[in-house]
Amino acid sequence: MTLSRRSLGAVLLALAVAVAIGPQTRGQLSATAKGGKTTSDVELVEKLLAARRDYQVSLEALRAHYISVQDTERARWAEDELREFHRINKQAYNLDMDVPPPTLKAEKNIPEANELYKRAMTYKDKGWGPDYIDNQRRAELLFQQILTSYPESDKIDDAAYRLGEMYEGKAYKHYRRAAVYYQRCFQWNPNTQFDARLRAARLYDHILQDRSEAVRLYEDVLQHETDPAWELEAKKRLQELRSTRP
């Protein structure tokens, strides 16, 4: 499912702004002073997020102005710039400011969140080339909007898993970000149907090279999962890791 190039920038921006107006700092974040200088990136990342939001809003306002005065050429320029802005692979420099806390509970059936999830799934993994990237960005914004606007929805764990898939995939390759979203999936819903524990374990094991966290998660798979294939993979990898202790 794809949108026309003329409408792409406006659609992506509307979704991005809806997400951006939510809380910018999640959890308790503090700067540690050392020798009179802060060792935290919180202030800098907050400034970056604000700059991104301001840039988006300014471009959209400019586009709306040109449309209102029927200046189609400049309106197209603004829309093209919006489109390219959304195609930029934006890093989550501070995961505490990107990922909601593990204390959320996926408990309430909220129709608006359900609809956002359905819409996101119509975009996720669809298309080829630039259309694929654009659709991944659309899906990301919608899944993130669920977490921001409906943190008590029973869809937050599903959205976290889908975000983990996307951040792990070729459009992003944000592996640490993906691992944390997989963890949020089963933290928010310990009985999730998804293989979130196993996928997080694989990332910490093979990509992030965090042996202790991988072991903990493989053990978690054996404790909580019932799928024989998942259990077999976790058990085998645990034996390999324990036999090659550093």
Side-chain angles (χ1 to χ4, degrees), residues 199-212:
R199 296 192 69 157
R202 289 172 183 158
L203 283 174
Y204 283 111
D205 184 5
H206 302 294
I207 303 295
L208 302 174
Q209 302 294 304
D210 187 335
R211 182 192 187 98
S212 62

Side-chain angles (χ1 to χ4, degrees), residues 80-98:
D80 288 345
E81 191 168 345
L82 280 167
R83 183 184 304 113
E84 293 308 314
F85 171 76
H86 286 294
R87 284 175 175 166
I88 295 171
N89 192 349
K90 304 175 187 67
Q91 296 289 340
Y93 293 99
N94 187 317
L95 287 176
D96 286 332
M97 301 174 70
D98 181 77

Side-chain angles (χ1 to χ4, degrees), residues 27-118:
Q28 298 298 318
L29 299 171
S30 62
T32 302
K34 184 177 181 180
K37 296 182 180 179
T38 180
T39 60
S40 171
D41 63 350
V42 172
E43 184 178 353
L44 292 171
V45 174
E46 284 179 337
K47 288 180 179 179
L48 173 62
L49 295 175
R52 286 176 179 171
R53 292 195 305 276
D54 290 345
Y55 182 45
Q56 294 169 8
V57 172
S58 297
L59 275 173
E60 179 62 14
L62 191 61
R63 176 181 176 275
H65 166 73
Y66 288 136
I67 290 174
S68 70
V69 299
Q70 299 183 347
D71 188 335
T72 56
E73 182 180 24
R74 287 180 172 82
R76 187 178 66 253
W77 292 351
E79 187 167 314
D80 288 345
E81 191 168 345
L82 280 167
R83 183 184 304 113
E84 293 308 314
F85 171 76
H86 286 294
R87 284 175 175 166
I88 295 171
N89 192 349
K90 304 175 187 67
Q91 296 289 340
Y93 293 99
N94 187 317
L95 287 176
D96 286 332
M97 301 174 70
D98 181 77
V99 187
T103 52
L104 299 184
K105 302 294 182 184
E107 295 178 336
K108 295 184 179 180
N109 182 9
I110 301 176
E112 294 83 357
N114 299 343
E115 182 59 30
L116 284 172
Y117 186 83
K118 290 178 183 177

Side-chain angles (χ1 to χ4, degrees), residues 164-223:
E165 287 185 314
M166 292 168 58
Y167 292 139
E168 184 181 1
K170 62 183 179 180
Y172 294 87
K173 297 183 180 179
H174 296 179
Y175 299 118
R176 190 169 300 279
R177 194 180 191 185
V180 175
Y181 274 101
Y182 284 139
Q183 288 176 284
R184 291 295 185 268
C185 174
F186 62 81
Q187 288 167 342
W188 294 340
N189 178 10
N191 299 315
T192 177
Q193 62 179 317
F194 296 116
D195 61 342
R197 292 180 178 87
L198 185 59
R199 296 192 69 157
R202 289 172 183 158
L203 283 174
Y204 283 111
D205 184 5
H206 302 294
I207 303 295
L208 302 174
Q209 302 294 304
D210 187 335
R211 182 192 187 98
S212 62
E213 187 66 7
V215 167
R216 189 185 69 79
L217 285 164
Y218 284 131
E219 290 174 341
D220 212 30
V221 171
L222 295 179
Q223 183 177 354

